[in-house]
Amino acid sequence: MGNASILLVDNRKAIIESFRKSFSEIEVKHTLFSAANENEAWSMLDGSQKLSPVPKIILIDVNRTKNKGIQFLNAIRNHTDLKSILVFVITDSENEINKAAALNLNIAGYIPMSFESQTLNSFVSVLNEYWNIIEFSSQK
């Protein structure tokens, strides 16, 4: 896939720092951006703080903000230029309603996990291998 950007959407600073540490330890070559909430993430995808190029991958815990996470995923899937973004839901909480809703929005994966260092490193390592073998269109 080459060097692509990844957007992590989570309001917990400790989780964001844990991901940055795992990316460094695993030597992930992709750029990690973070947004504290869905509004900030949307601004980075299609608003005043738009990233260029737009991230190819989003990591989000849709269980953190009631229904805003599902609404955010729905907006991505209904946006012509964003609908092809790979979205992985990563969560340390259970919510069967959000799980079903996210899966119905064609996410790349719903991954229940703890955010402990060893578990996170294993997760990032597996995803990094996956990200390095897939290809994206050069078009929007």
Side-chain angles (χ1 to χ4, degrees), residues 73-89:
L73 293 182
N74 203 11
I76 289 170
R77 291 301 179 237
N78 287 314
H79 191 289
T80 304
D81 295 334
L82 303 176
K83 65 183 175 184
S84 65
I85 293 175
L86 286 178
V87 178
F88 293 89
V89 172

Side-chain angles (χ1 to χ4, degrees), residues 3-4 12 16 23 27 41 43 48 51 54 57 59 63 67 78 81-82 84-85 97 104 128-129 133:
N3 191 357
R12 299 168 289 182
I16 293 169
F23 271 53
E27 298 180 1
S43 183
S48 62
L51 299 171
V54 172
I57 298 162
L59 305 172
N63 296 323
N67 290 330
N78 287 314
D81 295 334
L82 303 176
S84 65
I85 293 175
I97 294 170
N104 285 331
N128 188 49
E129 289 178 30
I133 61 171

Side-chain angles (χ1 to χ4, degrees), residues 51-115:
L51 299 171
S52 182
V54 172
K56 299 286 188 186
I57 298 162
I58 295 175
L59 305 172
I60 184 171
D61 185 346
V62 296
N63 296 323
R64 297 291 303 160
T65 55
K66 299 186 182 178
N67 290 330
K68 289 182 182 178
I70 297 301
Q71 292 169 354
F72 175 71
L73 293 182
N74 203 11
I76 289 170
R77 291 301 179 237
N78 287 314
H79 191 289
T80 304
D81 295 334
L82 303 176
K83 65 183 175 184
S84 65
I85 293 175
L86 286 178
V87 178
F88 293 89
V89 172
I90 50 171
T91 185
D92 59 355
S93 62
E94 293 184 30
N95 184 320
E96 287 299 317
I97 294 170
N98 281 348
K99 179 180 179 180
L103 290 169
N104 285 331
L105 288 169
N106 198 30
I107 60 169
Y110 189 96
I111 304 155
M113 63 176 284
S114 72
F115 293 105

